[in-house]
């Protein structure tokens, strides 16, 4: 070890005998001056001999260019060797990160973009110039960014980076600053696309945790150690106060330490943990409220008359197609994961409700057609029964030999026909009289409404003693009470619609209560690996 001006200079190869020389001994004419020249000749082969010459001839360096050329001259500074290599100690690197922006959080690719300023600091004793005249002139020197290739820098990299580049607008955004005690500050602005493994079970009611993982690629823990630059009043992680994201808000962030062991050894690493909370407003307006209104629209069809087939079918099909299209659009924005997401449960439930409404109308239609068929069969049976009764009455009257009158519908006219016995004494004086009359409006109404009257006979017995010149008195029988003989049929189709109009909305409200209670209180653990 050689101490000059309170500065320690280390030698890679075995050093010569330890000798302490004061700064005044280096003046010309001093007895130790020849000893110093001899010593520098002996150690010229060593890595720091040029630095000793720099210290000796410090007064001859007048410009900063000469100073830098001497300080980082390749003849005595080897950038391939890390600091403290000869002392078998690890080089400690402290880091800080300033996050400018976080953008393009992509659930499909599970990554995000960030713009950050990455700062690293370490001590390199080979760059210590505290005992020189330049330490007073310039306590710290900011180098040009091109000189980064002439000094040693840590091999830090981002473990979870997919893509990355340095910002070059308008010049490469790099800062290299050397302090007189050998401390080096290296800052650079990076544009990175980092991997973020997301848990989407609660999407879009979820919170995500993304990390920035920094590690050493080649140097193990014995050679290089990373630490956060922690001070009492300043955090190592800084975030832009104006940071805004369209889908998320940065709720919290923290710094952690980690070590990774691989096949090539154990390596140090640092973690920046970002806690992101998803903003629910977009999905509430664009997904939940529209799908809810579509389901409610499908419930309106229950109040439409089941005989309005086009209206019921149109509402049912349109709601099913709309929910299906909306669900497909949402799935295209999400990765194909094996587990069920909250949005999948919601869209599936909405599809089930609108599809069940369409099936309900199919059931109502079937029930209505069965009721109509059953009613037609019942009316047909009553009609046959009345026809049979009328025929029996006619036969009985003919067998009794009584004269009677009847009304028949001939074409579009109502005719009254008188029947008489062939052997009647007044046969020659009695003629069949037909009284023709147009159908009254009341008759037309009865025929249109399907009311059943006696189709053949409405008669009354006429006495044989009645004078032939007089028109026989006809007493019309009352209308056959078909409605009283047939039991009224209950409209089951309308009953099903009424029950569905109450049951479906209640079921949808119950589903909403369960859905929001479960997913708002669900906790998904994120394990950092």
């Amino acid at each position: 070890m050689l101490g000059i001006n309170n500065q320690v200079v280390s030698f890679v190869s075995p050093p010569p005998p330890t000798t302490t020389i004061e700064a005044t001994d280096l003046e010309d004419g001093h007895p130790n001056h020849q000893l110093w020249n001899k010593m520098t000749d002996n150690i010229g082969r060593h890595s720091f001999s040029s630095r000793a010459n720099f210290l000796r001839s410090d007064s001859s360096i007048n410009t900063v260019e000469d100073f830098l050329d001497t300080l980082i001259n390749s003849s005595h500074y080897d950038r391939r060797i890390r600091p403290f290599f000869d002392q078998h100690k690890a080089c400690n690197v402290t880091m800080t990160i300033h996050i400018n922006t976080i953008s393009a959080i992509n659930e499909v690719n599970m990554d995000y973009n960030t713009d950050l300023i990455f700062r690293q600091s370490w001590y390199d004793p080979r760059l210590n110039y505290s005992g020189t005249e330049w330490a007073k002139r310039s306590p710290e020197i900011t180098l040009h960014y091109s000189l980064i290739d002439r000094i040693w820098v840590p091999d830090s990299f981002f473990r979870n980076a997919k893509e990355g580049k340095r910002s070059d607008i308008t010049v490469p955004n790099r800062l290299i600053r050397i302090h007189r005690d050998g401390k080096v500050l290296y800052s650079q602005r990076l544009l990175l696309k980092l991997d973020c493994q997301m848990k989407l079970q609660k999407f879009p009611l979820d919170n995500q945790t993304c990390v920035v993982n920094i590690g050493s690629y080649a140097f193990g823990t014995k050679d290089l150690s990373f630490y956060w630059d922690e001070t009492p009043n300043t955090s190592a992680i800084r975030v832009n106060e104006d940071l805004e994201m369209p889908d998320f808000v940065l709720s919290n962030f923290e710094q952690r330490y980690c070590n990774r062991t691989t096949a090539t050894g154990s390596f140090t690493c640092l973690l920046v943990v970002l806690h992101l909370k998803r903003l629910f407003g977009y999905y509430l307006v664009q997904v939940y409220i529209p799908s809810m209104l579509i389901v409610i629209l499908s419930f309106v069809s229950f109040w439409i008359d089941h005989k309005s087939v086009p209206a019921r079918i149109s509402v049912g099909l349109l709601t099913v197609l709309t929910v299906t299209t909306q669900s497909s659009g949402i799935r295209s924005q999400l990765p194909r994961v094996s587990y069920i997401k909250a949005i999948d449960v919601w869209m599936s439930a909405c599809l089930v409700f609108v599809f069940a409404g369409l099936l309900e109308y199919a059931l109502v239609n079937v029930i209505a057609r069965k009721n109509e068929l059953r009613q037609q069969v019942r009316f047909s049976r009553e009609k046959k029964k009345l026809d049979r009764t009328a025929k029996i009455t006619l036969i009985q009257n003919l067998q009794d030999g009584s004269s009677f009158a009847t009304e028949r519908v001939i074409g579009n006219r109502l005719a009254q026909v008188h029947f008489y016995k062939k052997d009647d004494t007044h046969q020659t004086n009695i003629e069949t009289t037909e009284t023709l009359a147009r159908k009254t409006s009341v008759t037309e109404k009865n025929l249109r409404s399907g009311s059943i009257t006696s189709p053949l006979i409405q008669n009354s017995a006429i006495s044989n003693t009645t004078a032939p010149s007089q028109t026989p008195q006809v007493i019309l029988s009352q209308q056959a009470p078909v409605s009283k003989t047939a039991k009224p049929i209950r409209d089951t189709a309308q009953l099903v619609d009424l029950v569905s109009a109450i049951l479906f909305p209640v079921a949808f409200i119950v589903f909403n209560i369960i859905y929001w209670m479960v997913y708002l209180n669900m906790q998904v653990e994120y394990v950092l690996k």
Side-chain angles (χ1 to χ4, degrees), residues 365-382:
N365 195 291
V366 170
I367 294 175
R369 285 189 286 109
K370 285 186 176 180
N371 288 343
E372 291 179 0
L373 181 61
R374 189 179 299 112
Q375 189 173 8
Q376 291 178 1
V377 171
R378 180 173 297 183
F379 284 156
S380 177
R381 290 178 181 175
E382 294 292 337

Side-chain angles (χ1 to χ4, degrees), residues 85-225:
F85 176 78
D86 57 327
Q87 301 179 20
H88 304 287
K89 295 193 308 182
C91 179
N92 297 329
V93 180
T94 59
M95 299 182 178
T96 62
I97 289 180
H98 182 87
I99 299 176
N100 292 324
T101 61
I102 298 175
S103 60
I105 300 177
N106 193 328
E107 290 83 4
V108 177
N109 298 325
M110 290 194 176
D111 54 28
Y112 68 99
N113 295 341
T114 181
D115 177 0
L116 54 86
I117 297 175
F118 182 44
R119 300 186 182 97
Q120 304 175 82
S121 298
W122 66 94
Y123 284 91
D124 192 339
R126 296 170 294 182
L127 301 177
N128 189 330
Y129 63 95
S130 59
T132 67
E133 184 66 23
W134 283 96
K136 300 177 181 178
R137 297 182 184 180
S138 300
E140 58 184 31
I141 301 175
T142 301
L143 306 181
H144 189 263
Y145 61 83
S146 61
L147 294 179
I148 192 64
D149 297 330
R150 298 183 60 180
I151 65 174
W152 179 89
V153 294
D155 64 337
S156 54
F157 77 108
F158 293 85
R159 294 179 178 272
N160 60 328
K162 292 184 177 180
E163 299 177 5
K165 64 178 182 179
R166 295 186 181 94
S167 177
D168 294 334
I169 303 173
T170 59
V171 295
N173 300 157
R174 294 183 182 181
L175 168 65
I176 308 101
R177 183 175 295 164
I178 299 176
H179 296 261
R180 61 185 178 183
D181 57 353
K183 181 180 179 180
V184 182
L185 172 63
Y186 179 35
S187 176
Q188 53 186 333
R189 182 183 178 186
L190 303 176
L191 307 176
L192 304 174
K193 177 182 284 188
L194 301 176
D195 176 71
C196 180
Q197 297 298 320
M198 301 182 184
K199 304 295 183 181
L200 300 173
Q201 287 88 343
K202 291 182 60 179
F203 178 89
L205 305 171
D206 57 331
N207 298 326
Q208 298 299 334
T209 301
C210 297
V211 300
V212 181
N213 194 334
I214 307 169
S216 173
Y217 191 83
F219 292 102
T221 53
K222 295 181 180 180
D223 297 324
L224 195 63
S225 297

Side-chain angles (χ1 to χ4, degrees), residues 23-88:
T24 57
D25 296 343
L26 297 179
E27 298 178 356
D28 292 341
H30 195 278
N32 289 333
H33 180 67
Q34 295 180 353
L35 178 62
W36 171 254
N37 291 337
K38 183 177 180 180
M39 183 180 297
T40 55
D41 292 340
N42 291 334
I43 65 176
R45 300 185 307 270
H46 303 293
S47 62
F48 301 143
S49 60
S50 297
R51 178 172 179 79
N53 291 330
F54 157 70
L55 293 174
R56 180 180 60 83
S57 58
D58 177 68
S59 58
S60 63
I61 300 176
N62 297 322
T63 63
V64 66
E65 292 84 358
D66 296 337
F67 173 74
L68 291 177
D69 289 341
T70 306
L71 184 65
I72 57 177
N73 193 292
S74 60
S75 62
H76 69 84
Y77 184 92
D78 192 349
R79 63 182 297 270
R80 298 173 299 177
I81 305 300
R82 68 172 181 83
F84 305 105
F85 176 78
D86 57 327
Q87 301 179 20
H88 304 287

Side-chain angles (χ1 to χ4, degrees), residues 211-257:
V211 300
V212 181
N213 194 334
I214 307 169
S216 173
Y217 191 83
F219 292 102
T221 53
K222 295 181 180 180
D223 297 324
L224 195 63
S225 297
F226 289 165
Y227 297 94
W228 290 114
D229 189 5
E230 298 177 338
T231 57
N233 298 325
T234 306
S235 174
I237 309 299
R238 302 176 180 88
V239 179
N240 186 5
E241 296 180 356
D242 299 329
L243 176 64
E244 290 186 3
M245 293 172 281
D247 293 343
F248 290 88
V249 60
L250 182 61
S251 60
N252 190 20
F253 59 89
E254 55 184 319
Q255 56 199 35
R256 297 184 185 180
Y257 293 91

